[in-house]
Amino acid sequence: MPYRRLSFPRPLLPDGSDGLRLEVRGFLSEQEFEPRCDSWLSGFDPEFSRRLAVRGWVGMTWPERYGGHGRSPLDRHVVIEELLAAGAPVAAHWISDRQTGPLLLRYGSEELRERLLPAMARGECYFCIGMSEPDSGSDLASLRTAATRVDGGYLVSGSKVWTSHAHRSHFMLALVRTTPEAERHEGLSQVVIDLSSPGVEVRPIRLLTGGHHFNEVVLREVLVPDAMLVGREGEGWSQVLTELAFERSGPERFLSTFPLLRQTVEVLPAGDGHAAEEVGRLAARLLALRRLSLSVAGAIEAGEAPAVEAALVKDLGTRFERDVIESARSLAPDGPLAGLLAQAVLSAPGFTLRGGTSEILRGVVARGLLGR
Ligand SMILES: Cc1cc2nc3c(=O)[nH]c(=O)nc-3n(C[C@H](O)[C@H](O)[C@H](O)COP(=O)(O)OP(=O)(O)OC[C@H]3O[C@@H](n4cnc5c(N)ncnc54)[C@H](O)[C@@H]3O)c2cc1C
């Protein structure tokens, strides 16, 4: 059976990236925040997002005419690597910056771009992801939320679930069914739903810890004007695959527990050979993952769509994030690590589910390798 070779070219960071990295570290050293594990999901701080935006680090790669800064994806990679490594509270703008903005740039109308992108780049406009539904997760194409055509737009009814931060987002980018009778991948479209619209109910789903980022979003005949359609009606499936590639390919898929790894290294007693070996193994894996992730970023910058490579990095990366927790737990179970360890343990069940489960990603990789 002939296998396709995966393409992981040697990644090259742009000239000046060391300077940019130092700039970000300088900025972070002036900020007051408690480093967190999984800060890109759990560290929601609009003030921090706005301060980051003032430095030009939100919407960094977008054209200036939409409030962006025209920087390269690899420059952005450097910035987000530093933010994640520091455990900085970046969740408020994370989804807008990572996937909704780039999706609007690729498929959105000029009107939508002008209306939304500048506010996103100022760190003031937050989006949530409206894909999963109570009966549709991995099999996303089975979703049922219906958008029925009416004069001037659609009436959207259904419910979305596991919607992180819907209760504090301004908009949801939702995948909905616009043609119920079409083949299941063909009748889908993407729409922007203003979460302040009549008919939107955001119900909290509390975590076992009492924390709250998940929601169920119930939509009852919510009027979505034509202008809020993203791309073309019926093209939602191929568009959402692009969105998932943005969602899956970044360094947050292996850096969620980096603050814990860093602190573990800081508290280990000098001269402990077993601990040094364990940490060395993790460090080697981290460096390999970083090279893989950078080469995915490089391929995206070159206009390629490395979906298979991105799926592989996410699968290996989320396994690494969990192994960091196990190592920290066995090397230094109490004392100074307790806070970060507890955060990491409680977040870990989600690592291999969110953005596509490991089983689904391995299916993507297997089909990709077989050229199907
Ligand atoms: C922390 C977190 C944040 C999230 N945030 C959002 C969000 O903001 N917006 C949003 O839309 N969704 C969000 N999700 C939902 C997430 O996308 C889904 O949980 C995920 O797609 C899996 O769907 P499911 O939970 O319905 O599980 P299911 O699809 O029911 O899967 C259950 C199990 O069966 C396995 N399985 C399913 N199909 C196959 C198959 N064909 N082959 C092999 N194994 C299979 C899966 O791997 C999994 O182990 C979030 C999830 C988490 C954990």
Side-chain angles (χ1 to χ4, degrees), residues 68-352:
H69 303 275
R71 305 287 293 263
S72 79
L74 287 172
D75 281 338
R76 175 174 178 271
H77 196 96
V78 167
V79 171
I80 61 174
E81 237 178 21
E82 289 300 319
L83 296 170
L84 295 164
V90 290
H93 67 276
W94 195 258
I95 289 164
S96 302
D97 180 64
R98 172 182 75 185
Q99 63 193 80
T100 323
L103 197 85
L104 291 178
L105 278 170
R106 192 165 295 192
Y107 299 112
S109 65
E110 195 53 31
E111 185 184 339
L112 264 186
R113 292 177 186 178
E114 283 175 4
R115 174 169 168 199
L116 296 170
L117 291 173
M120 287 166 150
R122 288 195 303 272
E124 292 174 356
C125 172
Y126 313 136
F127 266 76
C128 59
I129 305 170
M131 295 186 199
S132 307
E133 296 188 2
D135 296 315
S136 303
S138 302
D139 184 14
L140 188 59
S142 66
L143 67 81
R144 291 200 295 236
T145 293
T148 311
R149 190 140 264 305
V150 290
D151 222 15
Y154 303 89
L155 283 182
V156 178
S157 295
S159 72
K160 295 288 175 182
V161 78
W162 315 126
T163 324
S164 303
H165 302 302
H167 58 304
R168 35 198 181 186
S169 297
H170 305 97
F171 297 98
M172 171 196 274
L173 180 60
L175 185 65
V176 296
R177 192 163 294 288
T178 35
T179 316
E181 63 279 7
E183 194 273 324
R184 64 192 208 125
H185 291 97
E186 281 167 14
L188 299 171
S189 305
Q190 286 187 302
V191 290
V192 172
I193 298 181
D194 182 339
L195 293 174
S196 66
S197 308
V200 176
E201 184 190 350
V202 179
R203 299 178 177 163
I205 302 175
R206 299 250 166 225
L207 302 175
L208 281 176
T209 56
H212 175 206
H213 72 83
F214 276 146
N215 299 278
E216 179 176 11
V217 181
V218 180
L219 306 162
R220 292 188 192 88
E221 300 202 329
V222 178
L223 179 63
V224 175
D226 278 328
M228 303 298 249
L229 175 72
V230 177
R232 302 224 316 247
E233 190 180 299
E235 299 286 318
W237 186 250
S238 64
Q239 292 178 198
V240 87
L241 293 184
T242 306
E243 185 181 349
L244 282 169
F246 293 136
E247 182 174 343
R248 288 174 179 162
S249 57
E252 67 270 42
R253 302 305 181 174
F254 59 91
L255 289 176
S256 303
T257 53
F258 186 85
L260 176 64
L261 178 59
R262 187 206 300 253
Q263 210 180 0
T264 307
V265 173
E266 280 166 10
V267 303
L268 286 180
D272 180 338
H274 165 68
E277 195 181 315
E278 183 81 20
V279 168
R281 260 200 215 107
L282 289 172
R285 280 171 70 190
L286 177 63
L287 287 178
L289 278 164
R290 180 164 181 263
R291 293 281 298 257
L292 293 174
S293 170
L294 268 170
S295 70
V296 169
I300 290 173
E301 180 159 3
E304 295 164 30
V308 178
E309 288 80 356
L312 192 69
V313 176
K314 180 177 181 287
D315 181 27
L316 295 173
T318 50
R319 247 187 281 173
F320 170 79
E321 292 179 326
R322 294 180 84 138
D323 290 348
V324 166
I325 302 174
E326 289 316 310
S327 296
R329 195 170 10 205
S330 68
L331 292 173
D334 339 288
L337 289 189
L340 285 175
L341 192 53
Q343 283 167 12
V345 167
L346 292 169
S347 309
F351 295 168
T352 51

